C-alpha cells in the first residue's frame, strides 16, 4: 500500500540517531518571545545547554527570569500566539522537538519527555478517579487492556510510595493530601518511562518534610531508571540536594552555568552571589542575610548593557551600562565548562 500524505506527516521528521557521545537533550540558542500590545516580551534569549542521561540540571532564577517559559517551549506547551519560538534547536535523542509535527509532539510528550508541575491539580482531572486517570494514560499510549492498565496504575502508585494503592486508585484527587497528589502526578509523569523529566517547582506548594520526601523519591527513581531531570526552582536548598549542574537565568538569559559543587563553593556572577547571600545556610559563617535590592527587569525594555546592572553592587559606569556581557567559558574543572556573563568576572 502506498503511503498517504497523513502517513508522511505521522512519520515525523527524519530521525538522526545520536552518537554515543552526544547529550540526551541538547538545547541551542533557544529564543522565545511573546507578542503583546506593548511590544515583544523577550522571555528567553539565546539559551543553550546539554543534559545527559541520569543527570539533573537545576534552572534557577526569580519569577519572570524565563526559566519556566524555556521548558514549556521545549515541551511544546506554549500558546502560539502569543508565544513565538524565534530561534533555536532542541534535540532529544536525535529528534528535533521544535520541528516535528504536532501529532508526533503529542506522542513524544509523556513517552519520552514528561513534566510535573507545582500544582498537581493542573495535571490531575478532579472529576476522575486517580487510578483511572493513570490507567488511561498507559492504555492510550501502549494499547494495553483496561485490566492491564488498571494493574499498572496500582503498580505505579505503589512505586511512588502511595500507601494502600488499590484503595487509593479508587479515590478522586481531592481525597488526596497535597503530598499524595504530588506523588500521583509523579506516577502520571513516570507512567511511560520518559527519558527526561521536567519538574517545574515540584515542591513549592508542599511543607518542608514532604518536600524532602518528594525530592528523595525523584532521586531514587532517577537512580533506578537513569532518567535525566530538569528541575526548575528558586530554592537553593532543593538544588543543593539533587542537582549535578546549575544554570542561572536573569532577564531571559543564562548568566551562569556550572557544576553544582563549584557553583555552591564559588558562585561567579554577582546575581548568583546575591542569590546565595539571600538564603540561610547551615554551615555558613555569614551572620545576616542580604537581599538583592531592586526588581527583576522588564522583558520588554531590558536595561542597556548588562541587564543586572541597575541592581548590581559591582556595576561600573563603563562596560556594565553600555555593553551586554557575553556568556564566556571561565574555567572547567568538571570538564564540561563553567560559563559566566559578567564584564568584571575575575576582578571581584
Ligand atoms: Fe554587575 Fe557589571 Fe557583572 Fe553585570 S557585568 S553583573 S553589572 S559587574
Amino acid at each position: 500500500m502506498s503511503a498517504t500524505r497523513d502517513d508522511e506527516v505521522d512519520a515525523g521528521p527524519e530521525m538522526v540517531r545520536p552518537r554515543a557521545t552526544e547529550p540526551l537533550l541538547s538545547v541551542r540558542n533557544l529564543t522565545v518571545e511573546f507578542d503583546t500590545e506593548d511590544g515583544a516580551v523577550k522571555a528567553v534569549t539565546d539559551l543553550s545547554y546539554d543534559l545527559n542521561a541520569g543527570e539533573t540540571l537545576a534552572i534557577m532564577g526569580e519569577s519572570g527570569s524565563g526559566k519556566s517559559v524555556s521548558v514549556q517551549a521545549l515541551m511544546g506547551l506554549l500558546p502560539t500566539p502569543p508565544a513565538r519560538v524565534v530561534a533555536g534547536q532542541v534535540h532529544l535523542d536525535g529528534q528535533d522537538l521544535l520541528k516535528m509535527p504536532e501529532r508526533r509532539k503529542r506522542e513524544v510528550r509523556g513517552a519520552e519527555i514528561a513534566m510535573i508541575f507545582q500544582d498537581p491539580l493542573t495535571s490531575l482531572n478532579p472529576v476522575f478517579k486517580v487510578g483511572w486517570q493513570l490507567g488511561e494514560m498507559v492504555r492510550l499510549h501502549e494499547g494495553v487492556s483496561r485490566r492491564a492498565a488498571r494493574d499498572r496504575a496500582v503498580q505505579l502508585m505503589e512505586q511512588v510510595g502511595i500507601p494502600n494503592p488499590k484503595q487509593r486508585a479508587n479515590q478522586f484527587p481531592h481525597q488526596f493530601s497535597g503530598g499524595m497528589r504530588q506523588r500521583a502526578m509523579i506516577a502520571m509523569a513516570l507512567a511511560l518511562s520518559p527519558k527526561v523529566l521536567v519538574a517545574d517547582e515540584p515542591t513549592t506548594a508542599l511543607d518542608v518534610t514532604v518536600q524532602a520526601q518528594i525530592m528523595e523519591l525523584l532521586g531514587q527513581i532517577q537512580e533506578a531508571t537513569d532518567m535525566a531531570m530538569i528541575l526548575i526552582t528558586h530554592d537553593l536548598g532543593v538544588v543543593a540536594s539533587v542537582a549535578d549542574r546549575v544554570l542561572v537565568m536573569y532577564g531571559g538569559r543564562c548568566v551562569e552555568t556550572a557544576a553544582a559543587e563549584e557553583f555552591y563553593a564559588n558562585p561567579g556572577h554577582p546575581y548568583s552571589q546575591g542569590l546565595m547571600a539571600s538564603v540561610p545556610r547551615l554551615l555558613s559563617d555569614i551572620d545576616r542575610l542580604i537581599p538583592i535590592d531592586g526588581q527583576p527587569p522588564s522583558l520588554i525594555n531590558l536595561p542597556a548593557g548588562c541587564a543586572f546592572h541597575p541592581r548590581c553592587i559591582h556595576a561600573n559606569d563603563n562596560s556594565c551600562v553600555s555593553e551586554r556581557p557575553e556568556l564566556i567559558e571561565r574555567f572547567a574543572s568538571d570538564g564540561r565548562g563553567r560559563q559566566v556573563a559578567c564584564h568584571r568576572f575575575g576582578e571581584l
Side-chain angles (χ1 to χ4, degrees):
M1 198 168 68
S2 65
T4 64
R5 283 193 69 80
D6 274 345
D7 289 332
E8 287 164 20
V9 170
D10 288 352
E14 193 184 340
M15 289 277 291
V16 182
R17 298 305 303 171
R19 293 192 303 273
T21 52
E22 285 182 353
L24 176 61
L25 179 73
S26 163
V27 176
R28 286 288 169 276
N29 310 108
L30 182 65
T31 300
V32 183
E33 295 183 359
F34 287 83
D35 291 320
T36 72
E37 284 180 0
D38 297 326
V41 175
K42 296 180 187 314
V44 178
T45 305
D46 218 8
L47 180 67
S48 299
Y49 58 83
D50 291 334
L51 185 67
N52 294 322
E55 190 176 46
T56 297
L57 171 74
I59 303 184
M60 302 183 58
E62 293 162 303
S63 298
S65 61
K67 55 191 194 309
S68 290
V69 170
S70 72
V71 291
Q72 286 166 10
L74 66 91
M75 294 286 298
L77 294 176
L78 290 174
T80 49
R84 273 185 299 126
V85 176
V86 176
Q89 294 100 42
V90 178
H91 283 98
L92 171 65
D93 213 5
Q95 306 168 80
D96 189 336
L97 291 185
L98 298 182
K99 291 210 176 111
M100 63 177 55
E102 191 51 44
R103 187 163 172 175
R104 175 71 189 134
K105 266 186 205 165
R106 281 200 294 273
E107 287 168 3
V108 167
R109 270 201 302 266
E112 298 189 40
I113 182 165
M115 188 157 180
I116 55 176
F117 300 89
Q118 179 180 337
D119 178 6
L121 289 177
T122 57
S123 289
L124 295 170
N125 191 320
V127 301
F128 293 109
K129 290 175 179 170
V130 172
W132 184 88
Q133 295 187 49
L134 272 167
E136 276 303 283
M137 171 106 170
V138 175
R139 201 174 67 79
L140 289 175
H141 273 88
E142 296 181 356
V144 297
S145 69
R146 285 188 192 281
R147 188 188 182 89
R150 198 172 56 233
D151 290 349
R152 177 91 176 107
V154 171
Q155 188 192 13
L156 281 162
M157 290 173 76
E158 190 169 20
Q159 190 186 343
V160 298
I162 294 176
N164 305 317
K166 267 192 179 156
Q167 288 77 33
R168 287 291 196 165
N170 279 319
Q171 292 183 333
F172 293 94
H174 74 267
Q175 293 174 289
F176 281 47
S177 67
M180 284 300 148
R181 273 204 292 265
Q182 193 61 289
R183 285 176 191 265
M185 191 163 70
I186 292 170
M188 188 88 89
L190 298 177
L192 306 175
S193 308
K195 294 171 185 150
V196 179
L197 179 70
V198 179
D200 190 357
E201 309 266 10
T203 60
T204 305
L206 305 172
D207 68 48
V208 178
T209 320
V210 182
Q211 271 184 17
Q213 291 169 357
I214 295 291
M215 292 317 301
E216 194 183 336
L217 170 67
L218 287 173
Q220 287 165 353
I221 292 165
Q222 201 175 18
E223 204 162 299
T225 61
D226 213 24
M227 178 180 74
M229 184 157 72
I230 300 174
L231 179 66
I232 307 292
T233 185
H234 58 263
D235 187 332
L236 279 162
V238 168
V239 173
S241 63
V242 298
D244 297 299
R245 290 189 65 78
V246 176
L247 187 156
V248 180
M249 291 188 74
Y250 188 83
R253 287 180 180 269
C254 172
V255 294
E256 176 161 13
T257 179
E261 223 167 82
E262 281 190 0
F263 179 83
Y264 272 82
N266 186 20
H269 192 279
Y271 175 61
S272 311
Q273 292 162 4
L275 287 177
M276 296 290 271
S278 63
V279 295
R281 284 194 284 166
L282 213 52
L283 300 178
S284 163
D285 52 9
I286 295 172
D287 54 11
R288 76 186 179 91
L289 302 178
I290 307 163
I292 304 173
D293 285 336
Q295 297 296 321
S298 155
L299 295 173
I300 295 182
N301 280 313
L302 282 162
C306 172
F308 187 56
H309 86 253
R311 303 171 74 187
C312 181
I313 55 173
H314 303 296
N316 62 26
D317 294 331
N318 303 313
S319 53
C320 291
V321 296
S322 62
E323 209 180 300
R324 185 173 54 73
E326 295 294 333
L327 192 63
I328 291 175
E329 195 81 22
R330 302 298 181 173
F331 50 88
S333 66
D334 72 338
R336 288 189 47 205
R338 173 189 185 122
Q339 298 174 314
V340 182
C342 174
H343 292 304
R344 302 198 60 199
F345 183 85
E347 293 174 30
L348 306 173

